[in-house]
Amino acid sequence: MVWEDGEGNLSSYLMDNRRMRTAIVSAMHEELAAVLALMPDEQKQPLAGRDFWVGHLHGHDVVAVLSRIGKVAAATTATALIERFEVDRIVFTGVAGGLAPGVEVGHVVVADGFMQHDLDASPIFPKYQVPLYGTDRFATDAKLTQQLDAAVRVALPGSRLHRGLVASGDRFVSTTGESRALQAALPEALAVEMEGAAVAQVCHDYGVPFAAVRTISDRADDEAHGDFLRFIQEVASRHSAAIVEAFLRGG
Ligand code: ADE
């Protein structure tokens, strides 16, 4: 349980007097390194083949970790964060391929929800539906997402910001043909990446608030590979550290 002040803001103390612990999950090494550079006292705690970095950032108790790549790896990371590190909320930063028209390289997407574009248990369940959940998407936490949205506006004032659905799958989408097919099948999806829906589902299962921001590194088309590599070297880490810093300063 978390205390709220009169204006609906989360206090940093939980009802059992333990301080709120925030997980910062990065998709790329470059992003994690930039977040660790902001932490004065991080201690490495290895678990499940991952390095979890426990420490502080702007007065918050923080656990920073790489998601690793793909849905299963990201689900394991999220589960370990909740079960072993007892985090109270998870914030994910990473890059994504732009899918919808107008979602271009350098733009930022704050996710309202996630679905899996490669999940298909039809005809037993409708295409995309997560079996036994009765839904094909998981919403992010409204309040945390609003805080993250506000942090992006502070950290990257000139950036074009989109809010909406992000599609995850265990594929790096790197052909114009596949990107067009995904756009046609999922016109609501703003961007495509490889982890978010898994973390969203784990957070749904445990009732842990989750928010995610993705900077667009490529258009998931025939040029995606080169654009992606250039982008993560030049921009991704700066974006992610600036967003995390603004997010934790803001609450
Ligand atoms: N992350 C960044 N770009 C991506 C793409 N094109 N496909 C999947 N994940 C991505």
Side-chain angles (χ1 to χ4, degrees):
M1 280 292 289
V2 176
W3 296 102
E4 286 193 3
D5 64 20
E7 288 159 13
N9 297 311
L10 295 178
S11 130
S12 58
Y13 285 87
L14 304 179
M15 282 176 77
D16 61 2
N17 285 335
R18 185 171 65 75
R19 280 160 57 87
M20 171 157 21
R21 189 170 295 150
T22 304
I24 305 294
V25 182
S26 307
M28 320 292 313
H29 274 288
E30 292 80 353
E31 293 174 301
L32 177 66
V35 169
L36 292 180
L38 300 173
M39 294 173 66
D41 59 347
E42 76 278 10
Q43 300 282 328
K44 184 167 81 174
Q45 293 194 23
L47 177 70
R50 290 141 168 81
D51 289 335
F52 292 82
W53 297 90
V54 179
H56 296 88
L57 210 165
H58 288 310
H60 291 261
D61 287 358
V62 161
V63 184
V65 66
L66 271 186
S67 61
R68 296 183 152 239
I69 296 170
K71 291 183 290 179
V72 174
T76 301
T77 304
T79 305
L81 281 168
I82 295 167
E83 286 279 2
R84 296 292 286 272
F85 293 91
E86 299 187 312
V87 301
D88 303 292
R89 53 187 191 169
I90 296 183
V91 175
F92 196 110
T93 73
V95 295
L99 211 54
V103 181
E104 304 294 342
V105 172
H107 292 188
V108 179
V109 173
V110 172
D112 276 342
F114 283 94
M115 54 95 51
Q116 297 182 50
H117 66 75
D118 58 352
L119 178 53
D120 184 0
S122 62
I124 321 273
F125 295 94
K127 190 170 182 188
Y128 306 123
Q129 192 174 107
V130 185
L132 310 181
Y133 284 77
T135 184
D136 61 5
R137 62 193 65 182
F138 293 101
T140 54
D141 180 77
K143 198 178 272 182
L144 200 59
T145 297
Q146 198 48 46
Q147 280 177 252
L148 191 57
D149 184 305
V152 173
R153 289 173 200 277
V154 169
L156 309 169
S159 287
R160 179 79 195 278
L161 176 59
H162 305 266
R163 256 302 261 281
L165 182 69
V166 174
S168 309
D170 288 316
R171 306 178 52 77
F172 185 81
V173 180
S174 58
T175 66
T176 303
E178 189 179 354
S179 167
R180 288 209 180 120
L182 279 174
Q183 267 177 63
L186 302 167
E188 271 183 84
L190 298 178
V192 66
E193 43 80 296
M194 301 178 68
E195 297 84 19
V199 179
Q201 186 171 331
V202 170
C203 287
H204 164 88
D205 288 347
Y206 282 96
V208 169
F210 170 57
V213 58
R214 294 276 186 171
T215 305
I216 300 303
S217 55
D218 57 83
R219 277 288 303 169
D221 57 11
D222 294 337
E223 272 79 59
H225 181 65
D227 291 345
F228 171 80
L229 292 175
R230 243 189 325 277
F231 193 87
I232 59 169
Q233 275 157 16
E234 291 166 15
V235 187
S237 55
R238 275 190 292 117
H239 267 206
S240 143
I243 293 167
V244 166
E245 201 165 23
F247 173 79
L248 290 175
R249 270 191 208 279

